[in-house]
């Protein structure tokens, strides 16, 4: 599958990741139009890929693109989107976090084909998992090319996956806390990081291996009875780790659903 023309309104980190993923050979787009607002980023992408064109402005992006990605911060989304004129039937993909679909429809003001998606930075290396809603064959094919697409059948499913994606910083935060503890306990920081990073990578690879073994089963497998892993897991559960994590996810979901 190759799309004739893709456009990005907004030139931040996710736009950069998607452009690099889409245009790595074999490329999945003939041309990509990017906003000029972040001039340095736009120029870098144009220098890196011949297929990248820097548009005159956001409206130029919309007019030149078959598939338009709205990759803008939620704080400025309404102002930016309301200023644009879209074509009826145009494919518009919103990457705007924590934004209700009905609000997007009102801001766009045209009968577009609207899909929401949550691409993660790993799409740059075609290893990202991306939730999309509602299901869309063409967009799923694009994100499958950039890793894996998960097509959500309901807004609730999409919101839940959006909440789960908020775990990325915490994942690295746990690694950092272990590395800090190691350094404080006498291990050189570089050695701690050199050990922790591949350890966590191996665990993630195990969880993603064929067979779809439940996480609970993997936890039991790695927690030998009476062993060190079991001790840490037990302390995590008894001393509020699970409660804190559950509360954090509940809070994120409430924010996504506009409840706080």
């Amino acid at each position: 599958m190759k799309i004739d023309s893709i456009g990005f309104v907004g030139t931040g980190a996710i736009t950069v990741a998607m452009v690099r993923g889409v245009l790595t050979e074999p490329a999945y787009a003939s041309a990509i139009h990017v906003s000029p607002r972040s001039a340095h980023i736009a120029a870098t992408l144009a220098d890196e890929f011949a297929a990248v064109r820097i548009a005159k402005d956001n409206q130029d992006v919309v007019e030149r693109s078959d598939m338009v990605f709205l990759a803008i911060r939620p704080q400025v989304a309404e102002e930016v989107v309301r200023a644009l004129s879209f074509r009826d039937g145009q494919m518009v993909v919103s990457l705007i976090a924590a934004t209700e679909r009905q609000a997007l429809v009102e801001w766009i003001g045209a009968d577009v084909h609207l899909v929401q998606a949550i691409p993660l930075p790993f799409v740059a290396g075609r290893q990202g998992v991306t939730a999309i809603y509602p299901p869309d064959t063409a967009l799923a094919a694009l994100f499958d090319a950039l890793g894996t697409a998960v097509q959500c059948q309901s807004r609730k499913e999409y919101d839940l996956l959006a909440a789960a994606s908020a775990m990325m910083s915490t994942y690295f935060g746990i690694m950092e806390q272990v590395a800090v503890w190691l350094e404080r306990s006498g291990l050189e920081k570089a050695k701690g990081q050199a050990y922790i990073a591949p350890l966590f990578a191996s665990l993630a690879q195990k969880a993603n291996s064929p067979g779809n073994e439940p996480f609970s089963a993997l936890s039991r497998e790695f927690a030998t009875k009476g062993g060190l892993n079991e001790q840490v897991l037990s302390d995590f559960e008894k001393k509020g780790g699970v409660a804190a994590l559950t509360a954090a996810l509940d809070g994120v979901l409430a924010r996504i659903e506009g409840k706080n």
Side-chain angles (χ1 to χ4, degrees), residues 134-191:
D136 184 86
T137 302
L139 191 63
L142 177 63
F143 281 118
D144 275 336
L146 303 183
T148 304
V150 177
Q151 301 196 64
C152 299
Q153 300 300 318
S154 67
R155 176 65 198 219
K156 184 68 173 183
E157 287 185 0
Y158 182 77
D159 287 346
L160 286 170
L161 293 182
S165 73
M167 284 296 300
M168 291 189 293
S169 181
T170 303
Y171 177 87
F172 289 113
I174 290 172
M175 295 172 70
E176 171 65 10
Q177 289 305 308
V178 176
V180 166
W181 177 85
L182 288 171
E183 184 180 19
R184 191 170 61 238
S185 301
L187 185 68
E188 183 183 339
K189 184 176 183 179
K191 287 185 179 179

Side-chain angles (χ1 to χ4, degrees), residues 6-250:
I6 292 176
F8 287 90
V9 175
T11 322
I14 291 300
T15 292
V16 172
M18 283 203 61
V19 169
R20 288 188 170 139
V22 168
L23 293 182
T24 297
E25 292 298 331
Y28 288 95
S30 300
I32 290 184
H33 302 276
V34 297
S35 302
R37 184 173 177 82
S38 299
H40 174 70
I41 295 175
T44 298
L45 291 173
D47 288 343
E48 190 173 344
F49 300 102
V52 172
R53 283 88 157 123
I54 302 175
K56 292 183 297 183
D57 51 30
N58 288 335
Q59 185 59 48
D60 192 35
V61 171
V62 173
E63 291 174 2
R64 293 177 180 273
S65 304
D66 300 317
M67 182 182 290
V68 179
F69 286 86
L70 303 177
I72 45 186
R73 293 180 292 111
Q75 295 89 336
V76 299
E78 181 174 3
E79 177 185 357
V80 173
V81 176
R82 282 192 184 277
L84 300 173
S85 296
F86 296 86
R87 303 186 298 274
D88 285 350
Q90 189 169 21
M91 179 76 165
V92 178
V93 185
S94 172
L95 311 183
I96 306 168
T99 305
E100 286 291 330
R101 182 180 182 84
Q102 188 54 43
L104 289 166
V105 169
E106 291 175 4
W107 300 345
I108 290 169
D111 188 17
V112 301
H113 181 57
L114 176 64
V115 185
Q116 293 171 270
I118 315 169
L120 305 177
F122 317 108
V123 293
R126 295 184 173 175
Q127 296 180 331
V129 57
T130 304
I132 66 174
Y133 174 75
D136 184 86
T137 302
L139 191 63
L142 177 63
F143 281 118
D144 275 336
L146 303 183
T148 304
V150 177
Q151 301 196 64
C152 299
Q153 300 300 318
S154 67
R155 176 65 198 219
K156 184 68 173 183
E157 287 185 0
Y158 182 77
D159 287 346
L160 286 170
L161 293 182
S165 73
M167 284 296 300
M168 291 189 293
S169 181
T170 303
Y171 177 87
F172 289 113
I174 290 172
M175 295 172 70
E176 171 65 10
Q177 289 305 308
V178 176
V180 166
W181 177 85
L182 288 171
E183 184 180 19
R184 191 170 61 238
S185 301
L187 185 68
E188 183 183 339
K189 184 176 183 179
K191 287 185 179 179
Q193 291 198 177
Y195 182 82
I196 293 300
L199 171 64
F200 274 63
S202 296
L203 292 170
Q205 186 175 21
K206 173 69 174 176
N208 199 38
S209 59
N212 295 319
E213 200 171 353
F215 296 147
S216 58
L218 292 172
S219 181
R220 289 192 298 271
E221 178 183 338
F222 281 82
T224 305
K225 187 68 175 175
L228 304 180
N229 278 278
E230 184 184 61
Q231 179 179 334
V232 172
L233 177 62
S234 177
D235 281 347
F236 179 78
E237 292 174 340
K238 291 178 181 177
K239 295 181 179 181
V242 171
L245 181 58
T246 301
L249 288 170
D250 286 342

